[in-house]
């Protein structure tokens, strides 16, 4: 007797998963081996469980479902991806197939119809599956390191608010890692009191167990999953820079974006984050001391042959009362500025309340600038500027 076809269900609703599990397992020729939520975690569990079929719930907002299907069908996966909808809609059907699904099925179909359709979709995909080959351990998310070489340039404010803006603007799964030890402020800025911190994520047993790793992160009301820095400065010395790259890569297997707030300067922890980052955002301000140090950092990175394709410069606090204009800052740095963020006291007011400014005052100038960066990073349509950035190597995301 042939082995049953293994099925992974991607659906965030436990009751719906339970119903599908009962219906499909009753035939004996199909076996539901697991379930997952949207985003990179779906790809991670697909690589782990190696199913024959992945069923993805297609629901509003469509972006989550369609980007998940895109990630699951990137390359030549060994599984067949099938969409599952509550009702037939021609446009939803079209976009689901364009995202990569082999077929789209109605959730309220009879158990036998679902069974037959799944088997037919898998058999029709058999030739492609036989020829498939890919790296099952490759992370699917993007690691973004935010760094600066002078304290007080707004690095943590930018990293925290950008993480929140990405979650809001794209419906993506976003992780925020506070690598700024021993004095990281991410937890304070988001007014959270985590039971675990980045030190708890160091052991191999945790890094190699995605479920245990995910449980260490605190999900904030803003939709961001936070791995905080140690609250006790005396513990910070125990952080092993040699494990940082592995840890961030594993988080990128669980989340579409991993934002990393690094320590000030170019120490071992910052270097470890930059090594695995797909985008490195160097933050500076229009102040003589900050510009001098940033210029020296750029020269150092050039000497180290750091990839210029993933280095993007952010000029924070533009138009602040320093008597240095943005054009003068560009001339002093000798490097193009990718993004500019307005000087706005709204950030200080929001920080004092433990709230990200993009959520507390979304209409503020600084919030609009950070929201623009988030939309560009997520590949969402932007009216004033193009959204194609040199560091983006993957296909543009399908947006709802």
């Amino acid at each position: 007797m042939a082995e049953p076809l293994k099925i992974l269900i991607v659906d965030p609703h436990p009751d719906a998963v339970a119903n599908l599990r009962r219906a499909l397992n009753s035939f004996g020729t199909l076996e539901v081996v697991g379930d997952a939520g949207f985003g990179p975690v779906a790809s991670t569990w697909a690589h782990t469980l190696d199913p024959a079929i992945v069923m993805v719930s297609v629901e509003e907002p469509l972006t989550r479902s369609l980007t998940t299907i895109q990630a699951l069908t990137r390359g030549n996966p060994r599984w067949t991806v099938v969409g599952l909808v509550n009702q037939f809609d021609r446009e939803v059907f079209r976009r689901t197939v364009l995202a990569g699904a082999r077929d789209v099925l109605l959730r309220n179909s009879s158990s036998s119809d679902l069974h037959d359709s799944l088997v037919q979709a898998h058999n029709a995909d058999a030739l492609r599956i036989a020829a498939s080959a890919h790296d099952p351990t490759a992370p699917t998310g993007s690691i973004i390191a935010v760094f600066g070489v002078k304290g007080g340039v707004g690095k943590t404010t930018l990293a925290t608010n950008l993480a929140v803006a990405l979650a809001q603007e794209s419906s993506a799964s976003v992780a925020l890692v506070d690598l700024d030890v021993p004095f990281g402020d991410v937890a304070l800025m988001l007014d959270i009191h985590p039971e675990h911190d980045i030190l708890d994520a160091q052991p191999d047993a945790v890094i190699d167990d995605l479920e245990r790793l995910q449980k260490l992160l605190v999900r904030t009301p803003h939709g961001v999953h936070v791995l905080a820095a140690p609250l006790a400065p005396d513990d910070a010395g125990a952080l092993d820079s040699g494990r940082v790259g592995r840890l961030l890569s594993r988080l990128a297997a669980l989340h579409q974006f991993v934002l990393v707030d690094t320590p000030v300067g170019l120490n071992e922890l910052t270097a470890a984050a930059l090594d695995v980052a797909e985008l490195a955002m160097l933050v500076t301000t229009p102040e003589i001391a900050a510009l001098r140090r940033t210029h020296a950092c750029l020269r150092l990175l050039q000497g180290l042959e750091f990839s210029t394709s993933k280095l993007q410069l952010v000029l924070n606090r533009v138009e602040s009362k320093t008597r240095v204009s943005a054009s003068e800052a560009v001339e002093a740095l000798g490097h193009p500025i990718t993004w500019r963020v307005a000087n706005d006291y709204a950030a200080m007011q929001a920080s004092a309340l433990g709230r990200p400014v993009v959520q507390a005052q979304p209409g503020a100038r600084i919030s609009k600038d950070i929201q623009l960066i988030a939309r560009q990073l997520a590949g969402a349509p932007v009216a004033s500027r193009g959204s194609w950035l040199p560091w983006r190597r993957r296909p543009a995301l399908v947006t709802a």
Side-chain angles (χ1 to χ4, degrees):
M1 182 176 178
E3 291 287 328
L5 294 176
K6 295 193 295 184
I7 297 177
L8 170 67
I9 300 174
V10 179
D11 191 318
H13 309 293
D15 291 343
V17 172
N19 290 336
L20 283 172
R21 188 185 293 270
R22 283 193 296 269
L24 299 177
N25 284 348
S26 64
F27 289 94
T29 54
L30 302 176
E31 179 187 5
V32 178
V33 293
D35 60 272
F38 296 123
V41 67
S43 295
T44 299
W45 282 115
H47 289 306
T48 301
L49 299 174
D50 195 23
I53 303 170
V54 181
M55 301 178 68
V56 181
S57 175
V58 181
E59 58 190 62
E60 295 290 349
L62 290 180
T63 301
R64 298 181 308 167
S65 301
L66 299 182
T67 54
T68 298
I69 292 174
Q70 284 184 322
L72 285 165
T73 56
R74 187 174 293 129
N76 292 303
R78 295 186 294 271
W79 46 80
T80 297
V81 176
V82 174
L84 193 64
V85 297
N86 290 324
Q87 59 184 9
F88 179 79
D89 182 292
R90 186 180 301 275
E91 179 63 14
V92 172
F93 181 94
R94 184 185 70 86
R95 294 179 66 181
T96 303
V97 172
L98 287 176
R102 165 63 70 169
D103 199 358
V104 183
L105 311 180
L106 284 172
R107 189 185 293 271
N108 60 2
S109 299
S110 67
S111 297
S112 59
D113 284 347
L114 281 176
H115 170 274
D116 293 346
S117 297
L118 289 172
V119 173
Q120 289 170 12
H122 179 264
N123 290 340
D125 216 16
L127 291 178
R128 182 198 58 77
I129 292 173
S132 66
H134 55 81
D135 180 6
T137 64
T140 57
S142 298
I143 301 171
I144 302 174
V146 183
F147 72 116
V149 287
K150 184 180 182 301
V153 297
K155 171 181 59 64
T156 300
T157 297
L158 177 63
T160 302
N161 280 276
L162 183 55
V164 174
L166 273 169
Q168 293 177 340
E169 296 290 332
S170 67
S171 297
S173 175
V174 180
L176 175 60
V177 180
D178 193 347
L179 203 60
D180 187 4
V181 295
F183 303 112
D185 291 329
V186 165
L188 294 176
M189 294 190 71
L190 293 174
D191 193 24
I192 60 174
H193 308 279
E195 296 182 7
H196 303 285
D197 58 50
I198 195 169
L199 294 180
D200 298 315
Q202 285 199 107
D204 289 334
V206 176
I207 293 179
D208 294 334
D209 188 331
L210 293 179
E211 187 173 358
R212 286 183 63 183
L213 178 59
Q214 181 66 12
K215 287 181 179 179
L216 295 182
L217 279 66
V218 177
R219 190 181 191 279
T220 72
H222 321 99
V224 176
H225 302 261
V226 179
L227 184 58
L231 295 179
D234 293 342
D235 294 336
L239 185 58
D240 182 1
S241 62
R243 295 176 178 267
V244 168
R246 276 182 62 207
L247 171 61
L248 296 179
S249 295
R250 297 296 279 173
L251 288 173
L254 290 167
H255 300 277
Q256 191 167 337
F257 293 100
V258 179
L259 273 291
V260 187
D261 183 29
T262 64
V264 175
L266 289 177
N267 61 20
E268 290 184 358
L269 295 178
T270 301
L274 292 178
D275 281 344
V276 295
E278 188 173 348
L279 174 66
M281 301 178 70
L282 176 56
V283 185
T284 190
T285 55
E287 303 169 85
I288 299 299
L291 293 173
R292 181 185 66 82
R293 293 190 187 185
T294 303
H295 180 260
C297 175
L298 289 169
R299 292 185 61 184
L300 176 60
L301 291 174
Q302 183 179 16
L304 295 173
E305 297 183 351
F306 185 78
S307 175
T308 56
S309 66
K310 71 177 184 180
L311 177 64
Q312 305 292 320
L313 201 58
V314 181
L315 184 62
N316 194 22
R317 298 179 188 148
V318 174
E319 299 178 358
S320 55
K321 298 178 181 179
T322 60
R323 297 185 179 181
V324 179
S325 67
S327 59
E328 290 172 328
V330 173
E331 183 178 356
L333 293 169
H335 192 281
I337 292 174
T338 306
W339 292 293
R340 303 181 185 190
V341 179
N343 182 48
D344 196 330
Y345 290 104
M348 295 180 61
Q349 296 168 352
S351 179
L353 298 173
R355 299 177 64 192
V357 66
V358 294
Q359 187 262 342
Q361 299 188 46
R365 292 182 302 163
I366 183 173
S367 298
K368 291 181 178 179
D369 288 341
I370 293 175
Q371 290 160 359
L372 174 62
I373 297 174
R375 286 194 292 272
Q376 290 184 315
L377 294 178
V382 177
S384 58
R385 305 181 194 175
S387 61
W388 293 104
L389 301 174
W391 68 279
R392 290 195 65 82
R393 298 188 293 273
R394 301 190 179 102
L397 303 180
V398 176
T399 56

